[in-house]
Amino acid sequence: MVIANETSGTHHRRLTFADFLNSDPDAGEEEHNHGGRPSSSNNNNNNNKDANSYQQRQSNASTTSGDSSPNQVLSPWNQTYSPYYTDTTTTPTMSPSPWNQTYSPYYKSPWTYQTQNINDVSENGLIGTIVRQDGHVYSLAASGNLLFTGSDSKNIRVWKDLKDFTGFKSASGLVKTIVITGDNRIFTGHQDGKIRVWRGSKKGYTRIGSLPTLKEFLTKSVNPKNYVEVRRRRNVLKIRHHDAVSCLSLNEELGLLYSGSWDKTLKVWRLSDSKCLESIQAHDDAINTVAAGFDGLLFTGAADGALKVWKRELQGNGTKHFLVNVLMKQENAVTALAVNLTASVVYCGSSDGSVNFWEGQKYLSHGGTLRGHRTAVLCLAAAGSLVLSGGADKNICVWRRNRDGTHSCLSVLMDHVGPVKCLTAVEETEEKGDGRWIVYSGSLDKSVKVWRVNETASPVIG
């Protein structure tokens, strides 16, 4: 008897019912679906399109940013300074969409935490790194033992005691700025021009609204007087930003939230009912930074090179913000602001790498200039008597304001391999005390570094 060769590559016999039951049902499907996963290149291109110019506008607000890489060499000095940087390419691959999961502190996220000298009591130095597999870190906010990180993934991660806790997502728009109120509300400003409002609970974080509220938007939209022309044949509602929301700042004593945008406007929101109280055409170019200050003052800085001072004053039956001073007008863009409320000092970072400061106790007279960066200053943070500046040169300078008003450089922190985009700081517990701070720095190298700095450290310069 001749038996047909079942291994022939050109002949396939029909399976019997018994053979079908014993076959692997996934084999054919796997072969059919191999290589069929939709490409995410379009999404990556959209995200990377915004990862340039370090997310501060330095030209006309209506222009579109270029596609240059944020990690390109900007100057002969932009080299990798740290031997401790960890390559994340060996990190296990996570799910393509880790946010489409239950909001649990236990599911895997695209972040990994690397501890380094966490118990080291040295004066100033690195104690840990949080690395994200894809995307750049654009915004940070800290409240107690919670750290919130925003990236170009359009999502916000929450860390508790430096352990991955949970996350919540927005529908669109990378997260450019985050602020937290005392009643546990989180406000996030996005690239798509929206301000979203979240609230935390034991079950996680949920979105409770946006600014402006839907009710106010519908009420205002029926009146033509509430519109403003932004370009030829395009009118938008005044109470709504029509370009990226680049900065947010809180004045909880007055119950106000301030938002600045690349649409050149400053908007004032009432925290109690989320109502837009004012929309001010504040600058001639994109607003990069806003900071609520001392004595009821408000500071704004923009790509037009101006640092302006505003004050809320009574007008009729209500109040309104008026321009009271222009502290600086230069060709270089104003990129960052920070305020020392105790000493009444405002610090201003610029695209030329300088940090200027003005003293409120001397009628906002110019106090001096701090020069520690070779390229643009991208972020500032005040912590006690310290002011920290992060730059496109990948460094963080730690300055201390002395009792005589002078400043000393305590450290230059050099572990990032990309521009430092955002900074925030929280004071350590009283047991450790003595002016010791935990500083978080977010970078376009896709990482968040955790540092310990001390106000009593010995200066290295000055």
Side-chain angles (χ1 to χ4, degrees), residues 275-450:
K275 182 179 180 180
C276 182
L277 301 179
E278 296 180 65
S279 179
I280 306 168
Q281 191 72 22
H283 285 267
D284 298 327
D285 211 331
I287 297 177
N288 287 326
T289 179
V290 60
F294 42 84
D295 300 330
L297 299 177
L298 177 71
F299 302 92
T300 59
D304 60 8
L307 171 58
K308 296 185 177 182
V309 187
W310 309 81
K311 190 165 186 178
R312 187 172 181 240
E313 297 178 354
L314 291 173
Q315 185 186 54
N317 296 327
T319 58
K320 186 178 179 181
H321 285 78
F322 292 91
L323 179 66
V324 295
N325 203 346
V326 179
L327 296 181
M328 181 171 63
K329 179 65 176 175
Q330 59 180 11
E331 291 188 5
N332 298 302
V334 175
T335 53
L337 290 171
V339 177
N340 181 332
L341 295 174
T342 303
S344 299
V345 179
V346 56
Y347 297 90
C348 170
S350 301
S351 60
D352 63 353
S354 64
V355 177
N356 288 275
F357 63 94
W358 289 262
E359 299 174 309
Q361 296 178 355
K362 298 181 180 180
Y363 307 101
L364 285 177
S365 61
H366 185 254
T369 303
L370 310 177
R371 300 189 182 276
H373 296 276
R374 301 182 180 95
T375 52
V377 174
L378 304 181
C379 52
L380 291 170
S385 63
L386 302 179
V387 60
L388 302 101
S389 58
D393 58 3
K394 313 171 190 176
N395 298 337
I396 303 168
C397 293
V398 183
W399 305 86
R400 180 181 63 211
R401 176 178 171 83
N402 303 314
R403 292 182 179 179
D404 60 358
T406 61
H407 287 74
S408 302
C409 182
L410 304 185
S411 301
V412 179
L413 309 176
M414 301 185 296
D415 209 74
H416 279 293
V417 294
V420 181
K421 183 64 186 67
C422 46
L423 288 166
T424 191
V426 293
E427 193 168 12
E428 283 203 282
T429 55
E430 294 182 0
E431 307 88 76
K432 299 179 182 178
D434 297 329
R436 190 174 294 172
W437 297 80
I438 297 296
V439 176
Y440 306 97
S441 59
S443 170
L444 301 188
D445 65 7
K446 307 177 184 180
S447 75
V448 176
K449 301 286 184 182
V450 187

Side-chain angles (χ1 to χ4, degrees), residues 67-82:
D67 291 328
S68 60
S69 169
N71 292 329
Q72 66 183 6
V73 178
L74 301 177
S75 74
W77 298 283
N78 286 1
Q79 307 299 326
T80 302
Y81 292 105
S82 169

